[in-house]
Amino acid sequence: MASISQQKFSSLGLTTNTTETEPGCRIVSYTHDAGPDKPVMTLIHGYPQSAYIWRCRTPLSLETRLTIFPVNANVQQRRSPSPTRPPPNGPFPFRSTHPAPSPISLPSTSPPTHPSPPLQLPGYGISPPLASPPSPSHLTTGLHLLRALSALFPGPHPLILSGHDRGARICHRLAVALSSPPPTSSPTTEDSKTAAGLAKYLTLTSCIFMDIIPTLTQWTCFSTAAKAVRYFHWPFLASPSAPDIILSYGGGRWCREALARLQGTNEAGRARFSADGAWDVYSGLFEREKTVRGSCRDYEVGAEGECREQEGERDKGRRVRVRTLVVFSERGLGGMGDVRGIWREWVDGGSELKAVGMGGGFGHYLPEECPREVVGAMEGWLG
């Protein structure tokens, strides 16, 4: 199913890259190079999907002059295990197997604004699971993605973190790590050292979170029956029995039912959501045992280590300290309460925070159900 994604992104002018961030860990991304003077914006997908979720947004972005995805033609860059040769202007060593490409230009009618690589989450069927640690947190996963990014785009860059669902949760953890580092008196961890190194080359300027509230807050919402039923998959996927149950039930069948359950009622949105063989792509990935087990492990980590780490960050006053946009489904996440009010507790009071609810019957899968509205909100936010 990965070939369908590659063909679609190739038709939109993107190139597939594979970057090794540690032995055995390969991050797949799709990029288009808008030029060295442009900020980099991540696009990270969620459950139970892949980077194919961004296929709807790409052409609209070009049309509205919001984003161009960077292209480094025919380049696969790998991190070298030897630390003796650092990359030009980059914090992590790697070796490129091809010469540096020349930028690819688009017609002047669609001038670029922001490079945006859609990234494939490790363990979701295309990028393999991380080799270590055995249960990486969302922060650890996110730092691997940014290491791949720094290899693809060496040198200092402004950074915009953007993601949907689980991808947005990764962006949230990264935003705290990059904009509100731990006090110098705190014990040093591998993640904190990696984040400090990345912060020298990637300057976080803005965040865009799509259809989430913070992980810790989401778990506390299960105290009401209606909310617990709507998001029953959270505790289920985090349980030890979930992978075997899903595999017995049928991974593809489970995926299709998960997609159907949280989609909206808007007929045009539902049609866009399933267009381009999208459900075949997602369900095909979930026919693989490694996808089922890898994605369940992601939820298991989110139920244990993530909550502890977010509690620790909150108790130390570590919050997102950059401009933050939250885009959410009014019929879905909007039912959880005051979305902006919830996020205000997690975004520093001195940083701008805006929450935009998508009405019209659109559901959880906003980048596919209402891509034009999402791009409009992002364009207005980024100026």
Side-chain angles (χ1 to χ4, degrees), residues 14 32 78 108 151 185 238 285 325 366:
L14 283 77
H32 198 300
R78 293 183 177 273
S108 59
S185 58
L285 292 172
L325 171 68
L366 298 173

Side-chain angles (χ1 to χ4, degrees), residues 303-319:
E304 298 177 359
E306 280 299 302
C307 289
R308 287 194 302 270
E309 291 182 14
Q310 283 199 344
E311 283 179 330
E313 290 173 349
R314 182 192 60 187
D315 293 345
K316 293 177 182 177
R318 298 181 61 201
R319 289 171 171 78

Side-chain angles (χ1 to χ4, degrees), residues 186-380:
S186 298
T188 301
T189 66
E190 285 301 315
D191 280 351
S192 64
K193 289 191 292 186
T194 301
L198 286 164
K200 297 177 182 178
Y201 300 92
L202 296 171
T203 302
L204 183 62
T205 61
S206 185
C207 298
I208 302 173
F209 304 145
M210 299 186 196
D211 217 46
I212 68 161
I213 54 177
T215 300
L216 182 60
T217 306
Q218 179 80 51
W219 279 106
T220 62
C221 288
F222 292 147
S223 58
T224 66
K227 293 173 182 176
V229 169
R230 179 171 178 80
Y231 293 96
F232 82 94
H233 60 286
W234 272 55
F236 169 66
L237 292 173
S239 67
S241 302
D244 291 332
I245 293 174
I246 292 173
L247 291 169
S248 297
Y249 186 73
R253 178 185 175 189
W254 163 264
C255 176
R256 286 180 175 273
E257 291 182 1
L259 296 171
R261 188 168 52 83
L262 293 181
Q263 70 177 332
T265 57
N266 183 292
E267 290 301 324
R270 292 162 72 101
R272 282 189 291 266
F273 181 25
S274 60
D276 305 311
W279 286 30
D280 292 335
V281 171
Y282 306 142
S283 62
L285 292 172
F286 271 77
E287 290 291 350
R288 306 175 185 177
E289 180 177 354
K290 66 178 183 180
T291 304
V292 173
R293 295 195 182 279
S295 58
C296 285
R297 185 175 70 165
D298 178 38
Y299 273 83
E300 180 183 358
V301 171
E304 298 177 359
E306 280 299 302
C307 289
R308 287 194 302 270
E309 291 182 14
Q310 283 199 344
E311 283 179 330
E313 290 173 349
R314 182 192 60 187
D315 293 345
K316 293 177 182 177
R318 298 181 61 201
R319 289 171 171 78
V320 178
R321 297 184 186 275
V322 295
R323 302 174 68 244
T324 301
L325 171 68
V326 180
V327 182
F328 66 95
S329 164
E330 289 183 348
R331 73 177 299 273
L333 190 66
M336 300 290 283
D338 178 7
V339 174
R340 186 184 185 281
I342 291 171
W343 273 107
R344 185 73 278 176
E345 299 179 11
W346 295 83
V347 177
D348 183 72
S351 301
E352 183 181 0
L353 170 64
K354 183 177 181 180
V356 177
M358 295 293 168
F362 296 118
H364 174 60
Y365 303 100
L366 298 173
E368 292 168 291
E369 294 186 54
C370 54
R372 188 175 298 274
E373 291 83 353
V374 169
V375 168
M378 297 173 74
E379 183 179 36

Side-chain angles (χ1 to χ4, degrees), residues 18-29 77-81 92-95 119-120 122 127-132 140-152 194 198:
T18 302
T19 308
E20 188 169 330
T21 58
E22 67 176 24
C25 178
R26 300 182 306 278
I27 303 297
V28 177
S29 62
Q77 294 175 308
R78 293 183 177 273
R79 184 186 176 211
S80 167
F92 298 101
F94 68 93
R95 178 176 292 118
L119 300 162
Q120 298 281 11
S127 293
L130 299 182
S132 62
T140 303
T141 300
L143 291 171
H144 274 273
L145 299 182
L146 290 191
R147 288 165 70 177
L149 192 92
S150 70
L152 291 167
T194 301
L198 286 164

